[in-house]
């Protein structure tokens, strides 16, 4: 078996102990993440861009951010969403090089995103292709967190027009600049996440375990 590159070994070493579910949010480094991809199938489709920004103790740290563009082999129908063509990405990074920059940035941060499972599985597919490893980070979906808070009564008396990222922007008064770019969507989601963290403190959802708990329901109203 081929030896893992040093950056992968160093990344995996950060997870040799279990993370304590009782850790307060203020002690955690959250990495708000978005990827733009060639499609919706994590196994078949490829990453085009990765954007992420850190949130620590409720503060968005612009200086602790990353944005990567990968080389595209072909133009796909998703170009109508993200607007990036093969020609524009001709000087982008190869997938292994992008991962070699992303993992040292990510470290053991808690991954945050809207419908984040797609991004996580897309990155997992890339990591498995090249290094036969998967992400070890905990992750939370801002939609799940919103649903938990709604069930706790956090939005009583307020109209919620669905649970899309755009709907949450409307709910919290976030202006969605740079929508459908990885860096732009990561920053927009970070702004929404700031509001959710504040509500989490008020409604008893302020630890690693509580924040990353999936929302399970037979019906989402």
């Amino acid at each position: 078996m081929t030896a893992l590159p040093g950056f992968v070994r160093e990344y995996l070493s950060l997870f040799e102990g279990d993370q304590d579910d009782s850790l307060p949010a203020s002690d955690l480094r959250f990495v708000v993440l978005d990827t733009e991809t060639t499609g919706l199938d994590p196994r078949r489709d490829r990453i085009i861009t990765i954007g992420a920004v850190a949130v620590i103790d409720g503060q968005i740290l612009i200086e602790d951010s990353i944005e990567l563009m990968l080389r595209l082999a072909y133009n796909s129908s998703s170009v109508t969403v993200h607007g990036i063509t093969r020609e524009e990405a001709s000087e982008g990074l190869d997938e292994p090089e992008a991962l070699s920059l992303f993992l040292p940035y990510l470290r053991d941060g808690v991954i945050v995103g809207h419908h984040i499972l797609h991004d996580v599985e897309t990155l997992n597919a890339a990591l498995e292709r090249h290094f036969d490893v998967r992400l070890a980070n905990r992750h939370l979906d801002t939609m799940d967190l919103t649903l938990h808070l709604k069930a706790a009564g956090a939005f009583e008396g307020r109209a919620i027009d669905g649970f899309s990222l755009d709907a949450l922007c409307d709910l919290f008064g976030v202006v969605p600049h740079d929508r459908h770019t990885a860096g732009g969507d990561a920053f927009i989601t970070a702004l929404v996440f700031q509001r959710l963290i504040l509500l989490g403190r008020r409604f008893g959802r302020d630890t690693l375990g509580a924040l990353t708990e999936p929302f399970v329901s037979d019906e989402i109203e």
Side-chain angles (χ1 to χ4, degrees), residues 29-67:
R29 176 176 176 260
F30 296 96
V31 175
V32 187
L33 169 70
D34 185 73
T35 60
E36 296 295 332
T37 62
T38 58
L40 298 177
D41 185 341
R43 293 287 157 190
R44 185 187 66 185
D45 294 304
R46 295 294 184 266
I47 301 167
I48 301 170
T49 52
I50 300 170
V53 63
V55 175
I56 298 178
D57 198 16
Q59 300 300 309
I60 298 173
L61 304 182
I62 298 299
E63 67 275 15
D64 188 2
S65 62
I66 194 170
E67 193 158 6

Side-chain angles (χ1 to χ4, degrees), residues 21 25 42 59 130 136 143 152 155:
D21 275 353
Q59 300 300 309
H130 301 290
M143 187 179 83
F155 307 112

Side-chain angles (χ1 to χ4, degrees), residues 5-181:
F7 76 89
V8 177
R9 294 198 306 272
E10 185 173 343
Y11 165 74
L12 293 175
S13 73
L14 299 171
F15 299 93
E16 290 174 353
D18 293 332
Q19 284 185 300
D20 185 350
D21 275 353
S22 68
L23 284 171
S26 58
D27 287 355
L28 301 169
R29 176 176 176 260
F30 296 96
V31 175
V32 187
L33 169 70
D34 185 73
T35 60
E36 296 295 332
T37 62
T38 58
L40 298 177
D41 185 341
R43 293 287 157 190
R44 185 187 66 185
D45 294 304
R46 295 294 184 266
I47 301 167
I48 301 170
T49 52
I50 300 170
V53 63
V55 175
I56 298 178
D57 198 16
Q59 300 300 309
I60 298 173
L61 304 182
I62 298 299
E63 67 275 15
D64 188 2
S65 62
I66 194 170
E67 193 158 6
L68 303 169
M69 180 177 287
L70 283 69
R71 188 174 293 116
L72 270 176
Y74 59 90
N75 287 326
S76 67
S77 59
S78 66
V79 72
T80 59
V81 177
H82 51 69
I84 300 170
T85 65
R86 183 179 65 177
E87 290 72 26
E88 289 176 280
S90 62
E91 296 184 7
L93 304 169
D94 290 329
E95 197 169 69
E97 184 181 2
L99 295 171
S100 76
L101 296 172
F102 177 67
L103 284 188
Y105 165 78
L106 175 62
R107 305 194 301 278
D108 60 350
V110 179
I111 297 172
V112 178
H114 202 71
H115 299 307
I116 193 60
L117 193 57
H118 170 73
D119 304 272
V120 168
E121 287 306 316
T122 299
L123 286 163
N124 278 336
L127 287 165
E128 288 178 338
R129 272 193 294 275
H130 301 290
F131 310 116
D132 197 28
V133 299
R134 292 170 62 86
L135 291 170
N137 306 67
R138 300 284 287 272
H139 63 267
L140 74 88
D141 193 317
T142 46
M143 187 179 83
D144 278 7
L145 182 52
T146 302
L147 289 167
H148 278 301
L149 291 169
K150 180 178 183 291
F155 307 112
E156 195 164 342
R158 299 176 67 179
I160 301 179
D161 186 21
F163 297 95
S164 67
L165 181 57
D166 290 317
L168 296 190
C169 285
D170 287 342
L171 177 66
F172 293 116
V174 171
V175 179
H177 290 301
D178 249 357
R179 190 75 171 90
H180 298 302
T181 67

Side-chain angles (χ1 to χ4, degrees), residues 21-26 28 197 200-211:
D21 275 353
S22 68
L23 284 171
S26 58
L28 301 169
I197 289 174
R201 289 174 185 167
R202 288 174 51 198
F203 286 86
R205 194 163 287 274
D206 191 35
T207 62
L208 175 62
L211 289 168

Side-chain angles (χ1 to χ4, degrees), residues 183-197:
D185 281 357
F187 184 69
I188 291 165
T189 306
L191 291 170
V192 168
F193 183 54
Q194 275 187 313
R195 276 68 166 182
L196 292 173
I197 289 174

